[in-house]
Amino acid sequence: MTPAPQGEDPDADLLRLIARGDTVAAREMVARKLPRLLALATRMLGDAAEAEDVAQESLLRVWREAPRWKPGKARFDSWLHRVALNLCYDRLRRSRREDVVADVPEQPDGDSLPDERLLAADAGTRIAAALQTLPLRQREAVVLQYYQELSNGEAAAVMEVSVEALESLLARARRRLRALLAEDTHDA
Amino acid sequence: MTPERLARILAVYGASPERWPQAERADALALLARDMDAARHAAALDGALDGLAVPHPDAAMVGRALAGFAEAAPGSLLRRWWFAPLLAGAGALGMAAGALLLALTPLERRTGWLDEHTTIFSAAPGDPADPAELSL
């Protein structure tokens, strides 16, 4: 990950206090990060219970890492995103829901992508199901850039790719989502 | 800014200018004013993506997160190798271990639900007895 400019990490002060055992700082860290961790994991995994496990485990890593955190390394938030994503990948591997390769060849738009999960009536359910059909790296790109609202540079840094590679993943992901949702509309 | 680059921005980042690369935003907006179809196309998918709701942490979840901090905090007796067997001990020895934990934990390190009357066997954060302490 790219190093953070000195003095610009908004979590640095909280980490120093947490390293000293400050419970008020810990409560503030939970308020700042737990909702975002839960949201990220929910969108990556599509399972509420596993998402909470990831969020809680990520915070445990924060408590353990705080005494060792050195300002000037990567931004803390970028590190935390990477921790949560790695935990998501661990769970996906265990459930054998991931593609083995980092990205799969995109199917031409003319081929059908039948998926009975997309027939659910609720729009939120449809988009959740569509997101789960994306190859993992495309899903990760959408979650980081669109939902977590990281800048393209921040998202690329978390994913350890160039901005150009991130944009390629996002373009393919959005094209695939549009195709899935359009097909769902036609089938409805 | 070219039409091809604008199309790429819309395809990659969606229709909301707040999500576009900051350095290109102004030029892209200027060009967009002359081509709204691509923006409408991107906005339709953005609307679908926005339909995905996620849960918000409740007090119980927050309590579990803070309990993890209490266990991991520097100097926590719970992390000392000789203390865990005492906690596991039954009867008077276990009670004494609980009182020792509370007495030796500096006040500023205690979670909000501990006071001088709490023992190690009291309700933890997030239990139904103490939801008000942990609202965000």
Side-chain angles (χ1 to χ4, degrees):
Chain A
M1 294 181 198
T2 53
Q6 279 284 3
E8 292 190 16
D9 193 336
D11 297 315
D13 290 340
L14 265 190
L15 283 168
R16 274 192 291 273
L17 292 170
I18 287 168
R20 296 203 293 261
D22 188 312
T23 54
V24 174
R27 192 186 297 265
E28 172 63 21
M29 183 63 83
V30 169
R32 278 188 199 182
K33 303 301 185 185
L34 183 56
R36 285 174 61 77
L37 289 169
L38 186 65
L40 178 151
T42 301
R43 289 171 175 134
M44 283 298 296
L45 300 173
D47 181 296
E50 290 195 333
E52 188 194 340
D53 284 348
V54 165
Q56 296 287 9
E57 179 62 32
S58 299
L59 284 170
L60 280 177
R61 307 279 175 103
V62 172
W63 312 144
R64 292 177 200 144
E65 180 66 18
R68 291 190 290 265
W69 185 263
K70 289 181 172 44
K73 286 174 27 176
R75 279 168 60 98
F76 172 75
D77 194 63
S78 299
W79 173 85
L80 186 56
H81 272 90
R82 193 66 254 163
V83 165
L85 284 164
N86 287 345
L87 289 169
C88 287
Y89 276 95
D90 288 345
R91 273 156 179 77
L92 288 167
R93 279 188 208 100
R94 280 204 294 271
S95 68
R96 298 184 181 179
R97 277 182 277 152
E98 74 161 351
D99 298 321
V100 175
V101 295
D103 203 1
V104 294
E106 189 174 339
Q107 296 197 25
D109 285 350
D111 288 357
S112 64
L113 294 167
D115 189 343
E116 43 284 355
R117 288 174 291 175
L118 293 177
L119 298 180
D122 177 59
T125 304
R126 283 200 302 274
I127 189 63
L131 200 58
Q132 292 305 304
T133 70
L134 289 179
L136 279 178
R137 289 290 270 175
Q138 290 180 22
R139 192 185 317 167
E140 184 178 337
V142 171
V143 169
L144 290 175
Q145 186 276 324
Y146 191 87
Y147 287 112
Q148 298 294 101
E149 297 184 316
L150 299 187
S151 70
N152 56 356
E154 289 168 343
V158 171
M159 295 186 70
E160 297 179 337
V161 298
S162 66
V163 170
E164 290 74 22
L166 170 75
E167 291 191 351
S168 177
L169 286 166
L170 286 169
R172 297 209 300 275
R174 290 178 66 93
R175 195 156 52 238
R176 185 176 173 121
L177 286 171
R178 270 199 300 275
L180 287 168
L181 294 173
E183 186 167 305
D184 177 40
T185 301
H186 291 150
D187 289 346
Chain B
M1 181 61 53
T2 65
E4 292 75 24
R5 180 56 189 164
L6 174 60
R8 180 72 170 172
I9 287 173
L10 289 167
V12 170
Y13 297 106
S16 297
E18 309 85 68
R19 290 192 171 89
W20 299 352
Q22 190 174 4
E24 299 179 272
R25 196 173 296 155
D27 290 341
L29 281 169
L31 185 57
L32 182 65
R34 301 194 289 273
D35 180 5
M36 293 301 294
D37 279 346
R40 277 193 285 270
H41 199 51
L45 180 57
D46 287 356
L49 288 169
D50 289 341
L52 176 52
V54 290
H56 194 77
D58 60 17
M61 194 183 299
V62 171
R64 288 190 286 275
L66 290 171
F69 170 75
E71 194 170 315
S76 168
L77 273 176
L78 291 168
R79 300 176 68 206
R80 306 231 176 126
W81 65 268
W82 51 264
F83 196 73
L86 287 180
L87 276 182
L93 194 57
M95 294 286 286
L100 177 63
L101 169 65
L102 183 63
L104 295 183
T105 303
L107 185 61
E108 67 272 14
R109 292 182 182 173
R110 298 180 192 178
T111 62
W113 54 276
L114 289 175
D115 60 25
E116 64 275 17
H117 303 297
T118 306
T119 72
I120 200 66
F121 305 108
S122 298
D127 285 352
D130 298 289
E133 290 290 336
L134 299 158
S135 58
L136 288 178

